[in-house]
PDB file of all heavy atoms in Angstrom:
ATOM      1  N   SER N 505     -23.368 -22.815  -3.118  1.00 84.00           N
ATOM      2  CA  SER N 505     -23.167 -21.365  -3.170  1.00 84.00           C
ATOM      3  C   SER N 505     -22.270 -20.906  -2.045  1.00 84.00           C
ATOM      4  O   SER N 505     -21.415 -20.048  -2.234  1.00 84.00           O
ATOM      5  CB  SER N 505     -24.495 -20.619  -3.052  1.00 84.00           C
ATOM      6  OG  SER N 505     -25.370 -21.033  -4.020  1.00 84.00           O
ATOM      7  N   GLY N 506     -22.469 -21.471  -0.855  1.00 88.00           N
ATOM      8  CA  GLY N 506     -21.659 -21.061   0.280  1.00 88.00           C
ATOM      9  C   GLY N 506     -20.189 -21.345   0.034  1.00 88.00           C
ATOM     10  O   GLY N 506     -19.334 -20.494   0.258  1.00 88.00           O
ATOM     11  N   THR N 507     -19.902 -22.554  -0.463  1.00 88.00           N
ATOM     12  CA  THR N 507     -18.512 -22.900  -0.736  1.00 88.00           C
ATOM     13  C   THR N 507     -17.945 -21.995  -1.825  1.00 88.00           C
ATOM     14  O   THR N 507     -16.821 -21.519  -1.732  1.00 88.00           O
ATOM     15  CB  THR N 507     -18.410 -24.365  -1.183  1.00 88.00           C
ATOM     16  OG1 THR N 507     -19.254 -25.145  -0.381  1.00 88.00           O
ATOM     17  CG2 THR N 507     -17.000 -24.865  -1.087  1.00 88.00           C
ATOM     18  N   GLU N 508     -18.764 -21.762  -2.840  1.00 83.00           N
ATOM     19  CA  GLU N 508     -18.303 -20.937  -3.951  1.00 83.00           C
ATOM     20  C   GLU N 508     -17.960 -19.525  -3.469  1.00 83.00           C
ATOM     21  O   GLU N 508     -16.920 -18.964  -3.831  1.00 83.00           O
ATOM     22  CB  GLU N 508     -19.403 -20.864  -5.004  1.00 83.00           C
ATOM     23  CG  GLU N 508     -18.890 -20.825  -6.407  1.00 83.00           C
ATOM     24  CD  GLU N 508     -20.009 -21.157  -7.365  1.00 83.00           C
ATOM     25  OE1 GLU N 508     -20.225 -22.348  -7.660  1.00 83.00           O
ATOM     26  OE2 GLU N 508     -20.677 -20.216  -7.804  1.00 83.00           O
ATOM     27  N   ALA N 509     -18.836 -18.976  -2.639  1.00 85.00           N
ATOM     28  CA  ALA N 509     -18.603 -17.614  -2.144  1.00 85.00           C
ATOM     29  C   ALA N 509     -17.326 -17.562  -1.328  1.00 85.00           C
ATOM     30  O   ALA N 509     -16.502 -16.656  -1.493  1.00 85.00           O
ATOM     31  CB  ALA N 509     -19.786 -17.155  -1.302  1.00 85.00           C
ATOM     32  N   ALA N 510     -17.161 -18.566  -0.459  1.00 88.00           N
ATOM     33  CA  ALA N 510     -15.960 -18.587   0.369  1.00 88.00           C
ATOM     34  C   ALA N 510     -14.724 -18.669  -0.524  1.00 88.00           C
ATOM     35  O   ALA N 510     -13.722 -17.992  -0.291  1.00 88.00           O
ATOM     36  CB  ALA N 510     -16.003 -19.768   1.322  1.00 88.00           C
ATOM     37  N   GLU N 511     -14.836 -19.489  -1.563  1.00 85.00           N
ATOM     38  CA  GLU N 511     -13.702 -19.653  -2.466  1.00 85.00           C
ATOM     39  C   GLU N 511     -13.356 -18.347  -3.167  1.00 85.00           C
ATOM     40  O   GLU N 511     -12.200 -17.942  -3.234  1.00 85.00           O
ATOM     41  CB  GLU N 511     -14.041 -20.730  -3.503  1.00 85.00           C
ATOM     42  CG  GLU N 511     -12.878 -21.082  -4.381  1.00 85.00           C
ATOM     43  CD  GLU N 511     -13.271 -22.099  -5.435  1.00 85.00           C
ATOM     44  OE1 GLU N 511     -14.001 -23.049  -5.098  1.00 85.00           O
ATOM     45  OE2 GLU N 511     -12.866 -21.931  -6.580  1.00 85.00           O
ATOM     46  N   ILE N 512     -14.397 -17.673  -3.651  1.00 83.00           N
ATOM     47  CA  ILE N 512     -14.167 -16.404  -4.355  1.00 83.00           C
ATOM     48  C   ILE N 512     -13.413 -15.444  -3.441  1.00 83.00           C
ATOM     49  O   ILE N 512     -12.439 -14.817  -3.843  1.00 83.00           O
ATOM     50  CB  ILE N 512     -15.506 -15.779  -4.784  1.00 83.00           C
ATOM     51  CG1 ILE N 512     -16.129 -16.586  -5.914  1.00 83.00           C
ATOM     52  CG2 ILE N 512     -15.315 -14.342  -5.237  1.00 83.00           C
ATOM     53  CD1 ILE N 512     -17.475 -16.084  -6.344  1.00 83.00           C
ATOM     54  N   ILE N 513     -13.864 -15.356  -2.189  1.00 86.00           N
ATOM     55  CA  ILE N 513     -13.248 -14.391  -1.288  1.00 86.00           C
ATOM     56  C   ILE N 513     -11.836 -14.827  -0.900  1.00 86.00           C
ATOM     57  O   ILE N 513     -10.923 -14.014  -0.806  1.00 86.00           O
ATOM     58  CB  ILE N 513     -14.137 -14.199  -0.040  1.00 86.00           C
ATOM     59  CG1 ILE N 513     -15.439 -13.548  -0.474  1.00 86.00           C
ATOM     60  CG2 ILE N 513     -13.449 -13.361   1.010  1.00 86.00           C
ATOM     61  CD1 ILE N 513     -16.482 -13.471   0.587  1.00 86.00           C
ATOM     62  N   LEU N 514     -11.644 -16.142  -0.725  1.00 87.00           N
ATOM     63  CA  LEU N 514     -10.319 -16.640  -0.352  1.00 87.00           C
ATOM     64  C   LEU N 514      -9.281 -16.392  -1.440  1.00 87.00           C
ATOM     65  O   LEU N 514      -8.108 -16.222  -1.168  1.00 87.00           O
ATOM     66  CB  LEU N 514     -10.401 -18.143  -0.089  1.00 87.00           C
ATOM     67  CG  LEU N 514     -10.610 -18.576   1.341  1.00 87.00           C
ATOM     68  CD1 LEU N 514     -10.788 -20.062   1.388  1.00 87.00           C
ATOM     69  CD2 LEU N 514      -9.412 -18.164   2.177  1.00 87.00           C
ATOM     70  N   ARG N 515      -9.749 -16.441  -2.662  1.00 84.00           N
ATOM     71  CA  ARG N 515      -8.803 -16.303  -3.779  1.00 84.00           C
ATOM     72  C   ARG N 515      -8.263 -14.890  -3.909  1.00 84.00           C
ATOM     73  O   ARG N 515      -7.320 -14.659  -4.653  1.00 84.00           O
ATOM     74  CB  ARG N 515      -9.487 -16.690  -5.082  1.00 84.00           C
ATOM     75  CG  ARG N 515      -9.660 -18.163  -5.268  1.00 84.00           C
ATOM     76  CD  ARG N 515     -10.493 -18.407  -6.489  1.00 84.00           C
ATOM     77  NE  ARG N 515      -9.748 -18.025  -7.666  1.00 84.00           N
ATOM     78  CZ  ARG N 515      -9.295 -18.899  -8.544  1.00 84.00           C
ATOM     79  NH1 ARG N 515      -9.526 -20.162  -8.378  1.00 84.00           N
ATOM     80  NH2 ARG N 515      -8.637 -18.505  -9.601  1.00 84.00           N
ATOM     81  N   VAL N 516      -8.891 -13.959  -3.243  1.00 85.00           N
ATOM     82  CA  VAL N 516      -8.479 -12.566  -3.415  1.00 85.00           C
ATOM     83  C   VAL N 516      -7.239 -12.280  -2.570  1.00 85.00           C
ATOM     84  O   VAL N 516      -7.196 -12.631  -1.401  1.00 85.00           O
ATOM     85  CB  VAL N 516      -9.622 -11.637  -2.994  1.00 85.00           C
ATOM     86  CG1 VAL N 516      -9.146 -10.206  -2.945  1.00 85.00           C
ATOM     87  CG2 VAL N 516     -10.773 -11.780  -3.937  1.00 85.00           C
ATOM     88  N   ASP N 517      -6.241 -11.675  -3.173  1.00 84.00           N
ATOM     89  CA  ASP N 517      -5.089 -11.289  -2.363  1.00 84.00           C
ATOM     90  C   ASP N 517      -4.778  -9.827  -2.540  1.00 84.00           C
ATOM     91  O   ASP N 517      -3.737  -9.349  -2.134  1.00 84.00           O
ATOM     92  CB  ASP N 517      -3.875 -12.142  -2.721  1.00 84.00           C
ATOM     93  CG  ASP N 517      -3.251 -11.711  -4.024  1.00 84.00           C
ATOM     94  OD1 ASP N 517      -3.997 -11.191  -4.866  1.00 84.00           O
ATOM     95  OD2 ASP N 517      -2.040 -11.877  -4.192  1.00 84.00           O
ATOM     96  N   ASP N 518      -5.661  -9.106  -3.153  1.00 84.00           N
ATOM     97  CA  ASP N 518      -5.350  -7.723  -3.451  1.00 84.00           C
ATOM     98  C   ASP N 518      -6.679  -6.993  -3.665  1.00 84.00           C
ATOM     99  O   ASP N 518      -7.507  -7.446  -4.430  1.00 84.00           O
ATOM    100  CB  ASP N 518      -4.531  -7.689  -4.746  1.00 84.00           C
ATOM    101  CG  ASP N 518      -3.785  -6.393  -4.911  1.00 84.00           C
ATOM    102  OD1 ASP N 518      -4.333  -5.340  -4.566  1.00 84.00           O
ATOM    103  OD2 ASP N 518      -2.654  -6.446  -5.396  1.00 84.00           O
ATOM    104  N   ILE N 519      -6.869  -5.924  -2.934  1.00 84.00           N
ATOM    105  CA  ILE N 519      -8.103  -5.153  -3.130  1.00 84.00           C
ATOM    106  C   ILE N 519      -7.718  -3.773  -3.617  1.00 84.00           C
ATOM    107  O   ILE N 519      -6.930  -3.069  -2.983  1.00 84.00           O
ATOM    108  CB  ILE N 519      -8.897  -5.023  -1.813  1.00 84.00           C
ATOM    109  CG1 ILE N 519      -9.250  -6.405  -1.293  1.00 84.00           C
ATOM    110  CG2 ILE N 519     -10.149  -4.198  -2.037  1.00 84.00           C
ATOM    111  CD1 ILE N 519      -9.958  -6.371   0.038  1.00 84.00           C
ATOM    112  N   ILE N 520      -8.214  -3.416  -4.760  1.00 84.00           N
ATOM    113  CA  ILE N 520      -7.930  -2.098  -5.289  1.00 84.00           C
ATOM    114  C   ILE N 520      -9.233  -1.322  -5.311  1.00 84.00           C
ATOM    115  O   ILE N 520     -10.202  -1.744  -5.930  1.00 84.00           O
ATOM    116  CB  ILE N 520      -7.344  -2.186  -6.707  1.00 84.00           C
ATOM    117  CG1 ILE N 520      -6.031  -2.956  -6.656  1.00 84.00           C
ATOM    118  CG2 ILE N 520      -7.133  -0.803  -7.280  1.00 84.00           C
ATOM    119  CD1 ILE N 520      -5.552  -3.396  -8.002  1.00 84.00           C
ATOM    120  N   LYS N 521      -9.262  -0.230  -4.602  1.00 82.00           N
ATOM    121  CA  LYS N 521     -10.469   0.589  -4.623  1.00 82.00           C
ATOM    122  C   LYS N 521     -10.182   1.818  -5.453  1.00 82.00           C
ATOM    123  O   LYS N 521      -9.239   2.553  -5.163  1.00 82.00           O
ATOM    124  CB  LYS N 521     -10.836   1.019  -3.206  1.00 82.00           C
ATOM    125  CG  LYS N 521     -11.473  -0.064  -2.389  1.00 82.00           C
ATOM    126  CD  LYS N 521     -11.972   0.529  -1.095  1.00 82.00           C
ATOM    127  CE  LYS N 521     -12.379  -0.577  -0.149  1.00 82.00           C
ATOM    128  NZ  LYS N 521     -12.726  -0.060   1.148  1.00 82.00           N
ATOM    129  N   CYS N 522     -10.949   2.048  -6.462  1.00 81.00           N
ATOM    130  CA  CYS N 522     -10.762   3.247  -7.266  1.00 81.00           C
ATOM    131  C   CYS N 522     -11.257   4.438  -6.473  1.00 81.00           C
ATOM    132  O   CYS N 522     -12.068   4.301  -5.561  1.00 81.00           O
ATOM    133  CB  CYS N 522     -11.531   3.144  -8.562  1.00 81.00           C
ATOM    134  SG  CYS N 522     -10.843   1.911  -9.652  1.00 81.00           S
ATOM    135  N   ALA N 523     -10.753   5.616  -6.867  1.00 78.00           N
ATOM    136  CA  ALA N 523     -11.218   6.821  -6.210  1.00 78.00           C
ATOM    137  C   ALA N 523     -12.708   6.952  -6.468  1.00 78.00           C
ATOM    138  O   ALA N 523     -13.156   6.748  -7.589  1.00 78.00           O
ATOM    139  CB  ALA N 523     -10.479   8.026  -6.773  1.00 78.00           C
ATOM    140  N   PRO N 524     -13.482   7.252  -5.449  1.00 77.00           N
ATOM    141  CA  PRO N 524     -14.927   7.390  -5.660  1.00 77.00           C
ATOM    142  C   PRO N 524     -15.216   8.497  -6.664  1.00 77.00           C
ATOM    143  O   PRO N 524     -14.496   9.498  -6.703  1.00 77.00           O
ATOM    144  CB  PRO N 524     -15.460   7.771  -4.277  1.00 77.00           C
ATOM    145  CG  PRO N 524     -14.371   7.548  -3.326  1.00 77.00           C
ATOM    146  CD  PRO N 524     -13.093   7.548  -4.068  1.00 77.00           C
ATOM    147  N   ARG N 525     -16.222   8.258  -7.463  1.00 75.00           N
ATOM    148  CA  ARG N 525     -16.564   9.262  -8.468  1.00 75.00           C
ATOM    149  C   ARG N 525     -16.997  10.547  -7.759  1.00 75.00           C
ATOM    150  O   ARG N 525     -17.746  10.518  -6.800  1.00 75.00           O
ATOM    151  CB  ARG N 525     -17.713   8.749  -9.326  1.00 75.00           C
ATOM    152  CG  ARG N 525     -17.810   9.435 -10.653  1.00 75.00           C
ATOM    153  CD  ARG N 525     -18.958   8.866 -11.440  1.00 75.00           C
ATOM    154  NE  ARG N 525     -18.741   7.478 -11.867  1.00 75.00           N
ATOM    155  CZ  ARG N 525     -17.887   7.115 -12.808  1.00 75.00           C
ATOM    156  NH1 ARG N 525     -17.161   8.021 -13.428  1.00 75.00           N
ATOM    157  NH2 ARG N 525     -17.760   5.855 -13.149  1.00 75.00           N
ATOM    158  N   LYS N 526     -16.471  11.639  -8.262  1.00 71.00           N
ATOM    159  CA  LYS N 526     -16.847  12.928  -7.678  1.00 71.00           C
ATOM    160  C   LYS N 526     -18.294  13.237  -8.065  1.00 71.00           C
ATOM    161  O   LYS N 526     -18.659  13.123  -9.219  1.00 71.00           O
ATOM    162  CB  LYS N 526     -15.931  14.046  -8.219  1.00 71.00           C
ATOM    163  CG  LYS N 526     -14.475  13.887  -7.858  1.00 71.00           C
ATOM    164  CD  LYS N 526     -14.137  14.792  -6.697  1.00 71.00           C
ATOM    165  CE  LYS N 526     -12.660  14.814  -6.343  1.00 71.00           C
ATOM    166  NZ  LYS N 526     -11.848  13.672  -6.631  1.00 71.00           N
ATOM    167  N   ARG N 527     -19.062  13.613  -7.089  1.00 64.00           N
ATOM    168  CA  ARG N 527     -20.455  13.928  -7.411  1.00 64.00           C
ATOM    169  C   ARG N 527     -20.650  15.430  -7.380  1.00 64.00           C
ATOM    170  O   ARG N 527     -20.193  16.107  -6.467  1.00 64.00           O
ATOM    171  CB  ARG N 527     -21.381  13.253  -6.427  1.00 64.00           C
ATOM    172  CG  ARG N 527     -21.268  11.760  -6.578  1.00 64.00           C
ATOM    173  CD  ARG N 527     -22.343  11.023  -5.873  1.00 64.00           C
ATOM    174  NE  ARG N 527     -21.937   9.653  -5.677  1.00 64.00           N
ATOM    175  CZ  ARG N 527     -22.034   8.712  -6.578  1.00 64.00           C
ATOM    176  NH1 ARG N 527     -22.545   8.988  -7.755  1.00 64.00           N
ATOM    177  NH2 ARG N 527     -21.640   7.486  -6.336  1.00 64.00           N
TER     178      ARG N 527
END
Side-chain angles (χ1 to χ4, degrees):
Chain N
S505 304
T507 318
E508 215 164 272
E511 187 183 318
I512 289 177
I513 294 172
L514 266 175
R515 284 173 68 111
V516 171
D517 76 331
D518 199 322
I519 301 177
I520 299 166
K521 283 188 191 174
C522 291
R525 201 180 292 288
K526 297 259 186 333
R527 295 193 199 278

